Amino acid sequence: MTKKEQKNIITKHVIEAVQKNFNVVADFSDDEGHGYFTFSIESEGNEFFFDMSRNDFSIISYKIRGEKLYNEAQQLEKELDEFIENEIAIVRIKEGII
């Protein structure tokens, strides 16, 4: 299996796992081709926007320090990072990706 095929398997798994376990409102898209998937999650009646790197699957919140709900966005960002890290480990073991 090539590195590109491995990355595609991991990407597909991560997106499906996030969709299944979080309330994804705006689905993953990369309309601008900037190397990030943009998506949003609803939590406690608020919509939070994030970018997920295509390279390392890291999460970046759109909220800026000082903005309303910044701390909540940071907490959700941390939850997503930890969740994705665990999902990557699971799919690597399942698919035999080193």
Side-chain angles (χ1 to χ4, degrees):
M1 181 180 323
T2 67
K3 292 284 185 190
K4 184 175 182 176
E5 289 170 330
Q6 291 174 0
K7 178 68 89 174
N8 288 340
I9 289 169
I10 294 169
T11 301
K12 182 178 178 186
H13 177 85
V14 165
I15 289 173
E16 289 174 354
V18 170
Q19 290 169 328
K20 183 177 177 184
N21 291 280
F22 292 86
N23 187 14
V24 176
V25 180
D27 217 347
F28 292 78
S29 66
D30 185 16
D31 299 333
E32 298 176 19
H34 62 317
Y36 290 89
F37 290 106
T38 300
F39 65 103
S40 70
I41 292 177
E42 184 179 336
S43 177
E44 298 179 14
N46 297 296
E47 187 173 9
F48 296 91
F49 285 87
F50 300 94
D51 280 340
M52 180 179 77
S53 170
R54 285 181 166 276
N55 294 325
D56 64 4
F57 304 99
S58 61
I59 299 293
I60 301 168
S61 169
Y62 276 44
K63 290 287 183 191
I64 299 169
R65 189 179 308 265
E67 281 187 342
K68 183 179 177 186
L69 301 174
Y70 171 79
N71 291 335
E72 291 84 347
Q74 291 302 298
Q75 181 59 37
L76 192 51
E77 181 179 317
K78 182 179 175 186
E79 287 177 36
L80 282 163
D81 273 331
E82 291 172 359
F83 177 80
I84 288 169
E85 186 178 316
N86 289 333
E87 288 300 316
I88 290 171
I90 289 168
V91 75
R92 284 183 182 279
I93 291 168
K94 181 179 170 187
E95 298 291 336
I97 299 171
I98 298 173

